[in-house]
Amino acid sequence: MADDETTNPSRLIDPRSGFCPDTNTFHSLRPRVPLPPPSQPLSLTQYTLSLLLSQSSAPAPNATVLIDAASGHHVSYSHFLDQIHSLTSSLAASTSLSRGHVAFIVSPSSLHVPVLYFALLALGVTISPTNPLSSHSEIAHQVQLTNPVIAFATSATSHKLPTLPLGTILLDSPEFLSMLNGNRPNSDRVHRVEVSQSDSAAILYSSGTTGRVKGVLLTHRNLIALIEGFFRLTSESRQKQTETEQPQPVSLFTLPLFHVFGFFMLVRAVAMGETLVLMEKFDFESMLRTVEKFRVNYMPVSPPLVVAFAKSELVEKYDISSLQLLGSGGAPLGKEVAERFAAKFPNIGIVQGYGLTETCGGAARMIEIDESQRHGSVGRLAENMEAKIVDPVTGEALPPGHKGELWLRGPTIMKGYVGDDKATAETLDSEGWLKTGDLCYFDSDGFLFIVDRLKELIKYKGYQVPPAELEHLLLSHPEISDAAVIPYPDEEAGQIPMAFVVRKPGSNITEAQVIDFIAKQVAPYKKIRRVSFINSIPKSPSGKILRRVLVTHALSAGSARL
């Protein structure tokens, strides 16, 4: 028996947790997903469209792929594919864009952006989309990092851009529309550029919540590996449901397409032949109206939106009975919020996932509704992924049930940070392990739990206090609509937990009541000792709390008391 274990290390892997005590490594409990040979030339566009067309249940040519929520304008799959072919051909003919060039994109979500992404990727051009609300200085920093040769913007955003070698093309100009809707070229035009899977596909920007924004370099193979996993697992799940044949799934995107979560969910949805409803500007009531109007089945969301669903009375005004599932990601979703949502919407499931821009957005997720009952978890390790839980002090890799920094390794891990070798070396080790900076643990069933960001832990008299734990408790209070917890400097304790609280309309909850509410539920060292009431919590597009903004606000407001 011992000899078998020596020659077959997989025998050592606990089938329940995925942990191998020999290497102190966690392995995915998902079936291994085969990937195309690395040497095979293949762009993300070519791969995604091949998946779309290979399905036995591929959408009919007149089936809808994109809907603009505001105008109601529909784009069919046949027209969408024609636009990709036309734009690819037009860009190749009218510009000197070539494989390896970078295209900078500054545009809100629109029906044109998905076509632009697929066309550029087909040409081997690296796409680099940014938040259209970025300031001049933020864009200048990103342009300096990525060195783009061309930009795509709108009339409202182009003024933020410097002059680039191939200029700026406006997505709302007649020139661009003619490129989109020109005569359809030879149908295999989109495949003529030979793109290597190891070529750069996208430079996406990390949220910058704990430092200056970094450009995360993802390859075609990184993204192919991610989508292949989603495609195989979703296909299997759908095959199980064949007896209750469902209409074409309709997803609503409140996520910005420049963010990794929105980007990969867009590509996944096209590969699966789904219908996407895009919202340029998010507004909670408009979102509810859109769900009702287009009979939306699924929405990828960030946790603040789940909180809004659970607490808002506006929901009662709309028919959202078509909604079957929310996919939560971008930040941890608290157990209390998930339970409150489940009590209010028993027919809508929530599956959680976890990832970083550095992992293409995917690292762990739930794939079955029964997994979603593990409240507080972000699911199990994604297919083809390995993980370690590393003690931040000793560097020792730990078994299930122990907290430490999460390290990840697998085919979706980024190539590195553009123009920042130092940051790349600090984050990626020589064996390909990505140090996430997240304090986590796996339970005995292989479910991953995110405790908090290591850098955001509050150090109270030597004790470590996770802000996320206190935030989840605060959100369970019926008079609190949103909350954030930060470290506040204290001469005696070093740091104390300070809460920023958004009251529900009509509430007069006091600082003393907030402090008392938490004190009854936590150990003494975790108590909140200072409260500030605020109109809204500043957040990144993915829903992450911008703690640095709140820390600055607290210090400037309370400097006299420091």
Side-chain angles (χ1 to χ4, degrees):
M1 185 70 176
D3 288 342
D4 285 347
E5 288 186 346
T6 307
T7 55
N8 184 3
S10 65
R11 282 181 171 272
L12 295 171
I13 297 172
D14 181 346
R16 193 171 153 202
S17 68
F19 183 69
C20 175
D22 197 42
T23 59
N24 288 334
T25 300
F26 291 86
H27 297 261
S28 176
L29 296 168
R30 311 289 187 210
R32 190 157 190 84
V33 172
L35 300 176
S39 58
Q40 178 187 343
L42 190 63
S43 72
L44 180 62
T45 298
Q46 187 180 355
Y47 165 78
T48 303
L49 299 186
S50 70
L51 286 184
L52 169 69
L53 300 171
S54 70
Q55 298 175 72
S56 55
S57 58
N62 62 350
T64 300
V65 58
L66 297 172
I67 301 174
D68 180 273
S71 68
H73 185 68
H74 288 53
V75 177
S76 69
Y77 265 93
S78 61
H79 189 51
F80 179 64
L81 295 176
D82 283 352
Q83 286 189 325
I84 293 171
H85 289 278
S86 178
L87 183 57
T88 306
S89 178
S90 297
L91 288 172
S94 63
T95 72
S96 54
L97 271 177
S98 61
R99 177 181 164 189
H101 278 155
V102 175
F104 196 69
I105 302 164
V106 195
S107 171
S109 296
S110 74
L111 299 181
H112 298 334
V113 172
V115 180
L116 177 63
Y117 284 1
F118 282 114
L120 290 170
L121 289 163
L123 291 170
V125 173
T126 304
I127 62 170
S128 190
T130 190
N131 189 338
L133 300 178
S134 297
S135 66
H136 284 77
S137 63
E138 286 168 330
I139 284 178
H141 172 61
Q142 291 166 351
V143 167
Q144 187 180 8
L145 277 181
T146 57
N147 196 26
V149 298
I150 194 169
F152 294 86
T154 64
S155 304
T157 61
S158 60
H159 68 281
K160 299 179 182 180
L161 288 160
T163 303
L164 298 176
L166 301 183
T168 295
I169 294 176
L170 299 181
L171 301 186
D172 49 358
S173 66
E175 175 196 6
F176 183 76
L177 292 175
S178 69
M179 292 172 119
L180 269 187
N181 301 310
N183 292 326
R184 182 175 178 182
N186 184 320
S187 63
D188 59 315
R189 179 64 188 87
V190 76
H191 305 305
R192 283 188 189 161
V193 176
E194 191 168 284
V195 177
S196 167
Q197 291 181 58
S198 61
D199 286 351
S200 302
I203 299 169
L204 304 180
Y205 299 100
S206 63
S207 57
T209 52
T210 55
R212 194 147 197 210
V213 167
K214 300 181 186 74
V216 177
L217 185 60
L218 304 173
T219 66
H220 287 265
R221 186 166 180 80
N222 287 153
L223 291 155
I224 286 169
L226 183 78
I227 301 303
E228 178 76 16
F230 268 104
F231 182 81
R232 297 300 161 208
L233 294 170
T234 308
S235 296
E236 287 169 18
S237 174
R238 284 189 186 168
Q239 281 169 10
K240 292 175 187 173
Q241 301 167 355
T242 48
E243 61 276 6
T244 56
E245 192 64 39
Q246 297 290 320
Q248 186 182 8
V250 179
S251 301
L252 170 60
F253 271 35
T254 60
L255 302 160
L257 297 180
F258 61 80
H259 186 269
V260 68
F261 195 9
F263 175 57
F264 87 70
M265 290 303 291
L266 160 70
V267 178
R268 187 208 69 84
V270 172
M272 296 303 304
E274 297 177 358
T275 297
L276 307 181
V277 185
L278 298 176
M279 288 182 77
E280 179 179 332
K281 286 179 76 175
F282 176 75
D283 165 74
F284 187 67
E285 189 162 12
S286 298
M287 178 209 71
L288 294 171
R289 195 178 300 119
T290 301
V291 170
E292 178 181 86
K293 181 176 180 181
F294 298 109
R295 306 299 295 157
V296 171
N297 315 124
Y298 170 73
M299 284 174 55
V301 297
S302 58
L305 196 47
V306 181
V307 173
F309 263 106
K311 295 199 169 189
S312 174
E313 281 137 31
L314 275 174
V315 180
E316 317 300 330
K317 291 172 56 181
Y318 295 90
D319 175 9
I320 61 167
S321 58
S322 61
L323 203 54
Q324 298 168 0
L325 189 67
L326 300 183
S328 180
L333 178 67
K335 180 181 178 182
E336 295 80 7
V337 173
E339 288 174 345
R340 177 179 289 206
F341 181 91
K344 187 172 180 180
F345 303 104
N347 297 322
I348 305 175
I350 297 184
V351 289
Q352 288 200 68
Y354 164 79
L356 306 96
T357 310
E358 291 86 344
T359 66
C360 294
R365 59 180 169 274
M366 298 170 173
I367 57 169
E368 301 287 351
I369 288 297
D370 61 335
E371 288 188 3
S372 70
Q373 302 311 306
R374 195 67 63 115
H375 292 322
S377 168
V378 292
R380 288 174 163 142
L381 264 185
E383 59 289 334
N384 302 352
M385 188 68 78
E386 299 173 288
K388 285 184 180 181
I389 298 291
V390 178
D391 187 307
V393 178
T394 66
E396 178 189 1
L398 304 169
H402 289 73
K403 295 174 187 173
E405 183 182 13
L406 177 67
W407 289 19
L408 294 167
R409 184 168 67 181
T412 63
I413 301 295
M414 69 168 182
K415 205 169 184 175
Y417 295 116
V418 175
D420 198 336
D421 293 341
K422 181 174 179 287
T424 300
E426 288 170 354
T427 307
L428 274 176
D429 79 0
S430 58
E431 295 180 344
W433 289 101
L434 175 81
K435 303 170 188 177
T436 66
D438 286 317
L439 184 67
C440 306
Y441 68 92
F442 285 95
D443 72 6
S444 57
D445 293 315
F447 283 90
L448 178 63
F449 291 78
I450 312 298
V451 179
D452 217 321
R453 290 290 296 168
L454 272 170
K455 289 181 180 176
E456 292 181 353
L457 292 175
I458 298 165
K459 308 292 189 347
Y460 175 82
K461 293 186 176 177
Y463 290 101
Q464 293 187 333
V465 182
E469 180 184 337
L470 299 176
E471 287 158 1
H472 295 154
L473 290 174
L474 287 166
L475 289 173
S476 71
H477 194 290
E479 292 189 52
I480 295 174
S481 66
D482 206 356
V485 176
I486 63 162
Y488 190 83
D490 182 85
E491 194 172 335
E492 183 189 341
Q495 293 176 333
I496 57 171
M498 174 180 179
F500 281 87
V501 170
V502 181
R503 294 183 179 104
K504 276 199 85 172
S507 168
N508 292 310
I509 190 170
T510 65
E511 178 177 29
Q513 288 171 324
V514 171
I515 290 172
D516 186 53
F517 176 72
I518 297 298
K520 289 175 179 173
Q521 303 182 71
V522 298
Y525 71 89
K526 291 183 181 177
K527 289 196 296 188
I528 285 172
R529 294 162 194 275
R530 188 179 175 118
V531 177
S532 177
F533 294 99
I534 195 169
N535 292 329
S536 65
I537 304 294
K539 288 175 181 155
S540 72
S542 66
K544 288 179 183 169
I545 294 166
L546 298 175
R547 295 188 208 278
R548 285 186 301 133
V549 174
L550 290 172
V551 168
T552 302
H553 177 73
L555 294 180
S556 60
S559 56
R561 294 168 62 178
L562 275 176

